[in-house]
């Protein structure tokens, strides 16, 4: 797998950057700002990690995990009454979760093939 080449990781980095910066133009409370900046930075870091070293099993799982965390963060941190922050978290979290799962698929197929003696499923 080539470095700096996976579009899924680039989309996750952009989603993380958007969420972290969205705290500037959306109504916030302390908990929403912490969650959006924190999970946004985690998405950026895990996306860059995946871009630098594709195929790392731990890094592959981080994108969908952080995407799911961002999606549920309005309920966890109690900021569902702030519509802009909530919708930003839901949309960016769903995008990160979906591209994370799409990025994970080749790794799962690669691991399955290696456990079955290199045979590929048809």
């Amino acid at each position: 797998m080539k470095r700096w080449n996976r579009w899924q990781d680039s989309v996750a980095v952009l989603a993380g950057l958007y969420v972290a910066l969205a705290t500037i133009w959306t109504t916030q409370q302390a908990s929403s700002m912490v969650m959006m900046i924190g999970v946004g930075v985690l998405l950026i870091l895990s996306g860059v990690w995946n871009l630098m070293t594709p195929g790392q099993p731990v890094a592959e799982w981080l994108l969908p995990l952080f995407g799911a965390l961002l999606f549920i963060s309005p309920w966890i941190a109690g900021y569902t009454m702030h519509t802009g922050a909530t919708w930003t978290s839901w949309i960016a979290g769903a995008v990160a979760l979906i591209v994370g799962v799409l990025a994970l698929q080749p790794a799962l197929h690669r691991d399955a093939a290696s456990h079955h003696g290199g045979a590929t499923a048809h």
Side-chain angles (χ1 to χ4, degrees), residues 81-102:
M81 70 294 258
H82 295 288
T83 308
T86 299
W87 278 100
T88 300
S89 297
W90 286 340
I91 293 168
V95 166
L97 177 60
I98 290 166
V99 298
V101 169
L102 291 173

Side-chain angles (χ1 to χ4, degrees), residues 9-109:
D9 301 322
S10 298
V11 170
V13 168
L14 291 174
L17 183 63
Y18 183 83
V19 166
L21 291 176
T23 59
I24 297 169
W25 59 81
T26 55
T27 304
Q28 298 291 317
Q29 64 185 44
S31 63
S32 62
M33 189 171 286
V34 168
M35 288 300 287
M36 289 174 69
I37 291 173
V39 179
V41 168
L42 290 172
L43 276 170
I44 293 167
L45 293 174
S46 61
V48 170
W49 182 13
N50 278 321
L51 283 166
M52 287 175 26
T53 57
Q56 297 287 325
V58 171
E60 298 281 349
W61 282 100
L62 290 177
L63 287 180
L65 175 71
F66 293 146
L69 177 61
L70 182 59
F71 187 83
I72 64 172
S73 67
W75 294 291
I76 293 173
Y79 62 92
T80 55
M81 70 294 258
H82 295 288
T83 308
T86 299
W87 278 100
T88 300
S89 297
W90 286 340
I91 293 168
V95 166
L97 177 60
I98 290 166
V99 298
V101 169
L102 291 173
L104 189 58
Q105 292 303 313
L108 293 176
H109 291 292

